[in-house]
Amino acid sequence: MEARSYDIQELVSMSGTPRRTIYFYAQQGILPPPQGAGLAARYSDEHLLRLRLIPVLRQRGLRLDQIREE
């Protein structure tokens, strides 16, 4: 099965996470950096899964630094 890649708008739509938050998570090392930069940046299924997991972990009381370590 071929790995999918997403542009930032697709990632925002599919994850429900605001663009600014995605950029913040990448800057803080909570998300890996995308492939490419700027409008050409591509995100993977790994990014999408992590973005869906972060709110679950936050509800369990984990801080962002703890999530980054996980």
Side-chain angles (χ1 to χ4, degrees):
M1 190 165 91
E2 187 176 326
R4 291 255 351 242
S5 72
Y6 312 96
D7 64 27
I8 186 65
Q9 190 53 49
E10 290 171 316
L11 195 63
V12 166
S13 295
M14 294 176 75
S15 69
T17 306
R19 177 185 307 234
R20 187 174 179 160
T21 303
I22 293 171
Y23 292 152
F24 174 77
Y25 288 162
Q27 179 185 20
Q28 296 298 311
I30 297 164
L31 287 178
Q35 292 291 318
L39 295 176
R42 301 300 294 179
Y43 298 85
S44 68
D45 287 330
E46 179 184 357
H47 292 96
L48 182 57
L49 291 172
R50 286 185 185 210
L51 286 171
R52 289 178 174 166
L53 181 61
I54 289 169
V56 174
L57 296 175
R58 297 282 289 153
Q59 286 180 335
R60 292 183 182 168
L62 271 71
R63 298 184 317 263
L64 290 177
D65 62 323
Q66 294 171 311
I67 293 171
R68 179 178 47 240
E69 289 174 18
E70 292 293 322

